[in-house]
Amino acid sequence: MLFRSTSSEKGSIAENAPVSTVAYKATSTDTEDIATGSTSYSIKSGAGDAALFNIDAATGDITLKASANYEAKASYSLTVIATDQAGNAREKAITIDVTDVNEAPVKTQDAPSAPLIVVVGQPLSGKSVATWFSDPDTTKPTTFGKLTFSVSPALPTGLQLNKDTGEVTGTVNAAFSDAALTFSATDGTNPVVSHSVTVKSVTAPVVQSFMVTDSTGATNAGKQGESLTFTVKLSEPVAVVGTPTLGVAIGSGTTAALTADRKSTRLNSSH
């Protein structure tokens, strides 16, 4: 008994196909046993990817235990055994190729729920919407998986979105009303995936005054060994997270580190 010559050494299956999909059908030339239904088929244990497949002993239909993922594994190898009623057996090594399918992009956990903050007069950098979306096809070189990005309605004046990289850059020179924007990603074939976020403008606090005093309160401080207090007044209350510092060069270059009180307009420290 032999496998039929028409029984190819190659099978194929599309990624994400249901596990009921037949990836390969084994057949033999033992027509007498086939007619009586006594030919049986099995997968050789331990050979290649045998553990990932099921086989119907009567029909020779081979199916995957879990749907294929082209980006994770593009082909499988296994050995099929055909056995007749007399116990004669033949083996055949086969390869099953996975067909790449253009999968739809999805939204990731990086898509923010908090507003996107833009500081008036300061360049916006390091902001990209590319991490908000993912395309399964980008994990391996493929003809699929290239995402392009868009936004609706338009970004506030001064900001730009790079449609290829997803980077948002630019500078706004005036405060604007909160803007509800929808950023979208597409691979050009599948449905567009989108995420909405509010963009807010804020103004940075301005230093209104800077004063240095000694332990007696005099502003003409500078005697060696004296304890100095540095006071910086800002234009608005500042909610402080952590310990911000302000470096001040004194004399030959000695630097004093100033720390801020939470929700205060003053920065105080002794040196």
Side-chain angles (χ1 to χ4, degrees), residues 42-123:
S42 61
I43 297 174
K44 186 175 183 179
S45 179
D49 300 304
L52 303 180
F53 288 88
N54 292 317
I55 189 168
D56 187 309
T59 66
D61 290 347
I62 295 175
T63 55
L64 274 164
K65 294 180 179 179
S67 294
N69 180 352
Y70 177 85
E71 286 72 36
K73 191 172 179 64
S75 67
Y76 300 89
S77 63
L78 63 157
T79 299
V80 183
I81 304 172
T83 307
D84 65 12
Q85 191 173 20
N88 301 311
R90 289 290 187 275
E91 297 182 359
K92 187 169 191 175
I94 63 171
T95 299
I96 296 176
D97 293 326
V98 179
T99 304
D100 195 8
V101 173
N102 190 356
E103 298 173 273
V106 296
K107 189 162 60 173
T108 71
Q109 293 182 345
D110 289 336
S113 57
L116 177 63
I117 303 299
V118 179
V119 181
V120 175
Q122 294 187 10

Side-chain angles (χ1 to χ4, degrees), residues 3-10 24-28 92 94:
F3 278 102
R4 286 184 179 177
S5 59
T6 55
S7 181
S8 171
E9 296 180 354
K10 283 269 190 178
Y24 183 88
K25 185 177 182 66
T27 56
S28 78
K92 187 169 191 175
I94 63 171

Side-chain angles (χ1 to χ4, degrees), residues 210-263:
F210 179 84
M211 182 183 297
V212 183
T213 58
D214 61 16
S215 57
T216 65
T219 57
N220 59 343
K223 294 181 181 179
Q224 184 175 0
E226 283 188 333
S227 176
L228 304 179
T229 297
F230 299 81
T231 303
V232 178
K233 185 176 181 180
L234 305 178
S235 59
E236 60 185 76
V238 177
V240 177
V241 178
T243 307
T245 60
L246 174 66
V248 181
I250 303 172
S252 61
T254 302
T255 300
L258 284 69
T259 59
D261 296 329
R262 294 180 182 274
K263 299 183 179 180

Side-chain angles (χ1 to χ4, degrees), residues 28-210:
S28 78
T29 57
D30 199 337
T31 55
E32 181 177 348
D33 286 339
I34 292 174
T36 60
S38 58
T39 298
S40 64
Y41 302 93
S42 61
I43 297 174
K44 186 175 183 179
S45 179
D49 300 304
L52 303 180
F53 288 88
N54 292 317
I55 189 168
D56 187 309
T59 66
D61 290 347
I62 295 175
T63 55
L64 274 164
K65 294 180 179 179
S67 294
N69 180 352
Y70 177 85
E71 286 72 36
K73 191 172 179 64
S75 67
Y76 300 89
S77 63
L78 63 157
T79 299
V80 183
I81 304 172
T83 307
D84 65 12
Q85 191 173 20
N88 301 311
R90 289 290 187 275
E91 297 182 359
K92 187 169 191 175
I94 63 171
T95 299
I96 296 176
D97 293 326
V98 179
T99 304
D100 195 8
V101 173
N102 190 356
E103 298 173 273
V106 296
K107 189 162 60 173
T108 71
Q109 293 182 345
D110 289 336
S113 57
L116 177 63
I117 303 299
V118 179
V119 181
V120 175
Q122 294 187 10
L124 183 66
S125 62
K127 297 291 185 182
S128 176
V129 303
T131 58
W132 301 2
F133 309 98
S134 175
D135 191 321
D137 296 315
T138 61
T139 58
K140 271 196 172 183
T142 176
T143 55
F144 312 128
K146 170 61 178 174
L147 294 181
T148 55
F149 307 93
S150 60
V151 60
S152 179
L155 286 165
T157 301
L159 299 180
Q160 304 84 36
L161 170 67
N162 186 310
K163 68 180 183 65
D164 295 313
T165 66
E167 187 176 10
V168 180
T169 57
T171 303
V172 294
N173 294 316
F176 55 83
S177 300
D178 291 357
L181 303 179
T182 299
F183 292 90
S184 301
T186 179
D187 64 3
T189 303
N190 288 291
V192 172
V193 59
S194 301
H195 180 70
S196 296
V197 67
T198 299
V199 179
K200 293 177 175 285
S201 65
V202 298
T203 55
V206 177
V207 175
Q208 292 184 327
S209 64
F210 179 84

